[in-house]
Amino acid sequence: MTLVNFYSDTQTRPSRAMLETALTAEVGDEQGGLDPTTNSLCERVAELLGQEAAVFLPSGTMCNEIALAVHTRPGDEVICERTCHIINFEGGGPAAISGLMTSPINGEHGQFTADQVRGAIRAPGRYAPISKVVAVEQTANHGGGSVWSVTQMAEVVEATHAVGLIAHMDGARLMNAAVAAGLPAHAFASQFDSVWVDFTKGLGCGVGAALAGSRDFIEQAWRYKQMWGGAMRQSGILAAMANYALDHNVDRLAEDHALAAALATKIADLPGVAKVIEPQTNILLFDLAPDRPTAQDLAETLLKEDVRVSVFGPRRIRVVTHMDVGQADADVLIGALTRRLG
Ligand SMILES: *Cc1c(COP(=O)(O)O)cnc(C)c1O
């Protein structure tokens, strides 16, 4: 039996058509700026995000860590939401690599307000760490793939820039936000000092992300790319697949969002489900009632039926829709949940 995989949109496999673009990609030495396919991908991403330039990197995590390294000095502080990737899923990278403190904001659905930013920014002085960067996540994973509105984001960026701080966007799922909001990605991204998109989530690639910003910022980012071993050679084989993803896999994200919404309706009706957080994109979070199995126990029993979901808290389950799951898989998931919770 094949795995019905709602664990994450990272589980997507490159399609044959996507892989085939690698066979004919024009390639060169990326470290020397000589890979034409990677160069054209970077130009395209810069334009997509309303930025001057971009750099291709192996992962989104490296985008976040390089951006933070460029923007800060040891002892500086990054303001971000308590549940964000930078704090929780990068192995302590900001502290280990760049000597940074993080200042977590208790947001709502993974988002925070301009007032909360103003409250978190420290007064300059000899004693406190220096507030330097404000980082937002679009969409907010732990917020259930929630979409920051253009207005809320603009207010946060304005509060950040007003006192000379730097605004960074973790745009792992920015394209999901753009499709859900019916807006071009640059409507969210152009005001940021640095922003990146991931090709390995809903866009379906096997490797790659691109970090964008001013020409000067990208020049500095290249130093760390080289230093940390992220500079590549014939990366055009990967960039070709990312280009394919931008051509073919963006608009279809709407299907993932529709499937998540349909699943939410069904799951809300199941006995033993205490709460469903209405999905805005492709991430669906729900909580199990206290008299039901824990999220861990449920996930383990589902896996015995070859259905995979992720555990996001003692009673919280995350279900993520993506291009490699469809209606038939959704039916299998609902069937399995009904048996386990009914
Ligand atoms: C996946 C993810 C990342 C990291 O991206 P990788 O390409 O897996 O390193 C960063 N931020 C968010 C919100 C993510 O979901």
Side-chain angles (χ1 to χ4, degrees):
M1 204 167 141
T2 55
L3 187 66
V4 170
N5 202 339
F6 286 99
Y7 177 77
S8 175
D9 46 9
T10 57
Q11 307 290 295
T12 50
R13 305 287 175 96
S15 65
R16 175 160 288 275
M18 176 181 274
L19 287 164
E20 275 169 2
T21 65
L23 298 176
T24 50
E26 256 193 275
V27 296
D29 189 341
E30 193 238 10
Q31 286 190 16
L34 299 173
D35 186 279
T37 309
T38 305
N39 291 345
S40 72
L41 174 69
C42 289
E43 278 168 30
R44 183 175 184 183
V45 169
E47 193 179 320
L48 183 74
L49 302 182
Q51 299 284 346
E52 281 178 7
V55 57
F56 188 50
L57 291 168
S59 71
T61 301
M62 196 182 272
C63 292
N64 273 337
E65 294 301 329
I66 286 184
L68 292 179
V70 170
H71 290 320
T72 62
R73 290 166 59 187
D76 286 350
E77 195 167 53
V78 182
I79 296 166
C80 43
E81 213 275 338
R82 179 175 56 84
T83 61
C84 74
H85 199 277
I86 287 174
I87 292 184
N88 298 285
F89 303 106
E90 300 189 5
I97 302 169
S98 299
L100 302 177
M101 311 267 300
T102 50
S103 172
I105 291 180
N106 280 320
E108 231 175 282
H109 303 307
Q111 303 175 13
F112 46 83
T113 64
D115 273 345
Q116 286 181 296
V117 170
R118 283 187 278 269
I121 293 172
R122 296 173 188 271
R126 191 175 289 171
Y127 297 105
I130 297 172
S131 302
K132 189 60 75 66
V133 176
V134 174
V136 307
E137 200 173 283
Q138 178 74 306
T139 65
N141 180 8
H142 273 254
S146 69
V147 178
W148 289 70
S149 73
V150 169
T151 313
Q152 189 174 346
M153 222 165 220
E155 286 169 2
V156 161
V157 171
E158 197 190 315
T160 303
H161 285 162
V163 284
L165 268 65
I166 293 161
H168 170 75
M169 185 201 289
D170 170 339
R173 297 187 180 83
L174 171 59
M175 300 317 293
N176 291 85
V179 167
L183 291 168
H186 64 74
F188 295 108
S190 65
Q191 27 175 347
F192 283 82
D193 301 291
S194 51
V195 49
W196 60 272
V197 283
D198 215 327
F199 300 114
T200 65
K201 302 273 165 80
L203 299 188
C205 293
V207 184
L211 173 66
S214 68
R215 249 178 217 96
D216 179 54
F217 168 78
I218 293 302
E219 205 48 53
Q220 296 179 63
W222 256 102
R223 277 201 65 76
Y224 290 106
K225 174 175 157 92
Q226 183 66 36
M227 191 187 295
W228 299 350
M232 293 174 266
R233 299 298 185 188
Q234 288 69 33
S235 58
I237 56 167
L238 303 173
M241 292 192 261
N243 268 318
Y244 177 93
L246 291 175
D247 287 334
H248 299 278
N249 294 347
V250 173
D251 292 344
R252 64 151 309 284
L253 291 171
E255 296 168 32
D256 300 341
H257 303 168
L259 189 61
L263 275 168
T265 309
K266 291 237 167 86
I267 287 172
D269 284 343
L270 292 176
V273 171
K275 177 176 163 192
V276 174
I277 297 175
E278 207 54 51
Q280 296 177 24
T281 52
N282 68 328
I283 298 176
L284 162 59
L285 304 178
F286 65 93
D287 293 337
L288 301 168
D291 62 342
R292 301 294 155 142
T294 63
Q296 188 65 41
D297 286 346
L298 178 66
E300 280 170 19
T301 45
L302 289 175
L303 199 52
K304 289 192 186 124
E305 295 189 41
D306 288 312
V307 175
R308 193 167 180 217
V309 296
S310 59
V311 175
F312 252 42
R315 312 217 66 84
R316 177 160 289 186
I317 295 277
R318 184 186 74 163
V319 166
V320 185
T321 54
H322 53 79
M323 64 196 302
D324 290 353
V325 289
Q327 188 58 53
D329 303 291
D331 294 342
V332 172
L333 172 65
I334 295 298
L337 283 173
T338 307
R339 276 191 298 283
R340 297 300 164 185
L341 294 171

